[in-house]
């Protein structure tokens, strides 16, 4: 298990509010999901609509334990939209889709409890 997924990991060092504001976390709606069998670890390729200002972005997420492609479309999720694109095998991931680990370390996606406009920024 990766150390970041361990609930016993100590709290990270304090940061100032400007450091928090530098991380741009937005909400978007998954508009397409497909298996990514070529990934080193099981993953799903996502296309997420962040509204007109940001548009549709791609993400590779290791979420196969709790989710299948058919049930992901229409779900709102949170993602970091201002990291540089990352090459994951033959796929370029443009945003980091966010989640928390369950008791076994499998990813549980995070998103709003109610429908909100796509592109809304976390504060």
């Amino acid at each position: 298990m990766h150390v970041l997924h361990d609930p016993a990991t100590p709290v990270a060092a304090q940061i100032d509010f400007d450091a928090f504001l530098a991380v741009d976390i937005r909400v978007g709606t998954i508009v397409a999901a497909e298996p990514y069998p070529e990934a080193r670890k099981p993953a799903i390729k996502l296309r997420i609509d962040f509204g007109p200002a940001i548009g549709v972005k791609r993400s590779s997420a290791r979420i196969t334990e709790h989710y299948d492609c058919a049930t992901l479309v229409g779900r709102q999720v949170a993602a970091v939209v201002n990291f540089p694109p990352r090459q994951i095998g033959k796929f370029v991931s443009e945003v980091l889709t966010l989640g928390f680990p369950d008791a076994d370390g499998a990813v549980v996606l995070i998103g709003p409890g109610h429908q909100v406009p796509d592109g809304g920024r976390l504060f």
Side-chain angles (χ1 to χ4, degrees):
M1 183 183 312
H2 192 279
V3 69
L4 292 177
H5 297 164
D6 184 353
T9 301
V11 173
Q14 283 191 348
I15 60 171
D16 63 23
F17 193 66
D18 288 337
F20 168 72
L21 290 177
V23 180
D24 194 350
I25 300 172
R26 304 285 180 124
V27 65
T29 299
I30 298 172
V31 295
E34 62 183 86
Y36 188 21
E38 305 86 16
R40 200 167 21 125
K41 295 183 179 180
I44 295 176
K45 293 190 280 188
L46 303 172
R47 290 179 39 87
I48 306 168
D49 185 355
F50 291 97
I54 298 171
V56 176
K57 299 292 182 181
R58 297 178 301 168
S59 182
S60 172
R62 295 181 192 159
I63 55 175
T64 57
E65 291 292 322
H66 294 297
Y67 306 97
D68 62 61
C69 296
T71 61
L72 285 167
V73 174
R75 179 187 188 96
Q76 285 193 303
V77 294
V80 176
V81 299
N82 67 331
F83 284 157
R86 184 171 177 197
Q87 189 78 39
I88 301 174
K90 295 181 180 180
F91 184 78
V92 175
S93 188
E94 300 172 299
V95 299
L96 175 64
T97 305
L98 301 175
F100 289 109
D102 69 8
D104 297 319
V107 177
V108 176
L109 293 170
I110 60 170
H114 298 281
Q115 190 77 19
V116 297
D118 288 333
R121 186 169 181 174
L122 180 76
F123 60 86

